[in-house]
């Protein structure tokens, strides 16, 4: 029986994902605790984003189970799945904003889809989420094409926060950002986690992000999670890829910063 400190909001067991005959994951296990930031790392082709997509219902696994908030997501009925989905938010790579909508309209999209709410209230909520993401008020009237890369990331985060989620999934959130912009985004994620009690599932390759944000790190290799724990603990694992990744020049630089 799990203690309150070990309450899991995501439990992946025996997961197998594949594309045709190509198997990405085999017998993969991973548990995510409530109100933690977990970073998922691995080499190219290890299926970091595929794992995230399997958890959020965009890639049905060939075997195994995904429990979210104690519910078996893939065995649940449609009403239960929709209820689960309303309790998470997703920031895809690049923000994945609707180009024909303003930032405010993008943030309002999930509100209008899932909640019976008047336009003025939806606008007020969108403005609040835009502010929470660190964007200036006037950004709400801008279109994605008018935003910098960092602003697009924050706009995508504002949309991910639209329904007051308990879990936020981030796919390479600092990719393409300059070091200053990436550091500010990392700080924002930590602040949101602490102020809102969010659970954050983050796919990343950014060593600085791992050091500055993550409570635990899960390493994908050999089609499964080969290590999962606090960063200092994972770094001591003698697996060749882990040693190369964390003890190479970039890893040493991130540790020293």
């Amino acid at each position: 029986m799990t203690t309150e400190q070990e309450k899991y909001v995501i439990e992946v067991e025996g997961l197998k994902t594949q594309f045709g005959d190509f198997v990405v994951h085999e017998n993969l296990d991973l548990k995510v605790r409530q109100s933690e930031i977990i970073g998922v790392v691995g080499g190219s082709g290890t299926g970091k984003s595929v794992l995230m997509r399997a958890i959020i219902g965009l890639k049905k696994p060939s075997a195994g189970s995904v429990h979210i908030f104690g519910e078996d997501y893939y065995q649940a009925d449609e009403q239960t799945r929709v209820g689960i989905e309303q309790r998470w938010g997703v920031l895809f790579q690049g923000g994945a904003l609707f180009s024909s909508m303003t930032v405010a309209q993008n943030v309002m999209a999930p509100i209008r889809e899932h909640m019976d709410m008047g336009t003025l209230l939806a606008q007020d909520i969108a403005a609040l989420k835009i502010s929470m993401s660190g964007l200036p008020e006037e950004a709400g009237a801008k279109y994605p094409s008018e935003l910098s890369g960092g602003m697009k990331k924050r706009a995508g985060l504002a949309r991910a926060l639209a329904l007051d989620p308990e879990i936020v999934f981030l796919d390479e959130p600092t990719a393409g950002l300059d070091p200053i912009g990436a550091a500010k985004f990392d700080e924002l994620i930590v602040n949101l986690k602490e102020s809102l009690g969010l659970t954050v599932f983050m796919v990343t390759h950014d060593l600085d992000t791992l050091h500055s944000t993550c409570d635990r790190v899960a390493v994908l290799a050999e089609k499964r999670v080969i290590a999962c724990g606090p960063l200092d603990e994972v770094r001591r694992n003698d697996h060749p890829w882990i040693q190369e990744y964390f003890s190479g020049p970039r890893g040493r630089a991130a540790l020293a910063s």
Side-chain angles (χ1 to χ4, degrees), residues 94-126:
L97 300 169
F98 298 115
S99 60
S100 61
M101 294 182 179
T102 65
V103 170
Q105 290 169 340
N106 267 278
V107 177
M108 289 171 62
I111 298 173
R112 287 181 165 176
E113 180 180 358
H114 294 289
M115 303 180 72
D116 184 13
M117 183 179 297
T119 300
L120 290 178
L121 182 54
Q123 290 174 341
D124 287 343
I125 292 176

Side-chain angles (χ1 to χ4, degrees), residues 133-184:
S133 71
L135 287 172
E137 181 180 351
E138 58 269 21
K142 294 183 180 295
Y143 289 89
S145 60
E146 301 176 290
L147 304 178
S148 66
M151 291 178 74
K152 287 180 182 177
K153 299 275 190 181
R154 289 175 183 266
L157 179 61
R159 187 176 62 185
L161 295 172
L163 298 179
D164 295 329
E166 297 166 57
I167 304 174
V168 173
F169 293 90
L170 309 176
D171 193 0
E172 299 285 5
T174 59
L177 299 184
D178 63 79
I180 295 175
K184 289 182 177 179

Side-chain angles (χ1 to χ4, degrees), residues 50-71:
V50 175
L51 173 58
M52 191 187 91
R53 293 171 68 86
I55 293 173
I56 64 175
L58 297 180
K59 171 60 181 172
K60 187 174 182 179
S62 301
S65 64
V66 177
H67 283 79
I68 305 178
F69 304 119
E71 298 281 355

Side-chain angles (χ1 to χ4, degrees), residues 5-239:
Q5 289 74 24
E6 296 174 328
K7 184 176 181 180
Y8 298 116
V9 291
I10 301 172
E11 297 177 84
V12 179
E13 296 182 348
L15 190 77
K16 179 178 182 179
T17 61
Q18 61 188 107
F19 295 92
D21 294 330
F22 178 69
V23 177
V24 181
H25 304 125
E26 182 94 62
N27 200 30
L28 183 152
D29 297 330
L30 179 64
K31 293 183 179 181
V32 180
R33 298 181 181 127
Q34 187 176 41
S35 301
E36 75 169 341
I37 301 178
I38 186 167
V40 178
V41 302
S44 298
T46 53
K48 301 181 294 295
S49 294
V50 175
L51 173 58
M52 191 187 91
R53 293 171 68 86
I55 293 173
I56 64 175
L58 297 180
K59 171 60 181 172
K60 187 174 182 179
S62 301
S65 64
V66 177
H67 283 79
I68 305 178
F69 304 119
E71 298 281 355
D72 188 329
Y73 179 81
Y74 285 101
Q75 296 300 317
D77 56 45
E78 182 177 359
Q79 182 177 0
T80 301
R81 286 199 302 272
V82 170
I84 293 171
E85 291 165 4
Q86 290 178 357
R87 297 172 69 184
W88 74 47
V90 184
L91 171 59
F92 294 101
Q93 289 189 43
L97 300 169
F98 298 115
S99 60
S100 61
M101 294 182 179
T102 65
V103 170
Q105 290 169 340
N106 267 278
V107 177
M108 289 171 62
I111 298 173
R112 287 181 165 176
E113 180 180 358
H114 294 289
M115 303 180 72
D116 184 13
M117 183 179 297
T119 300
L120 290 178
L121 182 54
Q123 290 174 341
D124 287 343
I125 292 176
L128 174 62
K129 303 304 178 179
I130 290 168
S131 175
M132 289 172 60
S133 71
L135 287 172
E137 181 180 351
E138 58 269 21
K142 294 183 180 295
Y143 289 89
S145 60
E146 301 176 290
L147 304 178
S148 66
M151 291 178 74
K152 287 180 182 177
K153 299 275 190 181
R154 289 175 183 266
L157 179 61
R159 187 176 62 185
L161 295 172
L163 298 179
D164 295 329
E166 297 166 57
I167 304 174
V168 173
F169 293 90
L170 309 176
D171 193 0
E172 299 285 5
T174 59
L177 299 184
D178 63 79
I180 295 175
K184 289 182 177 179
F185 197 91
D186 290 343
E187 183 180 358
L188 172 64
I189 294 302
V190 172
N191 288 340
L192 288 173
K193 176 252 186 179
E194 292 177 349
S195 61
L196 302 177
L198 290 175
T199 301
V200 180
F201 181 103
M202 176 166 49
V203 173
T204 185
H205 68 279
D206 191 322
L207 284 158
D208 290 325
T209 294
L210 293 176
H211 281 279
S212 61
T213 68
C214 293
D215 299 296
R216 290 193 302 149
V217 176
V219 181
L220 294 188
E222 302 168 10
K223 302 179 182 179
R224 58 188 177 86
V225 175
I226 60 168
C228 185
L231 184 58
D232 288 344
E233 176 185 311
V234 170
R235 288 182 70 252
R236 293 194 294 270
N237 189 294
D238 61 3
H239 188 278

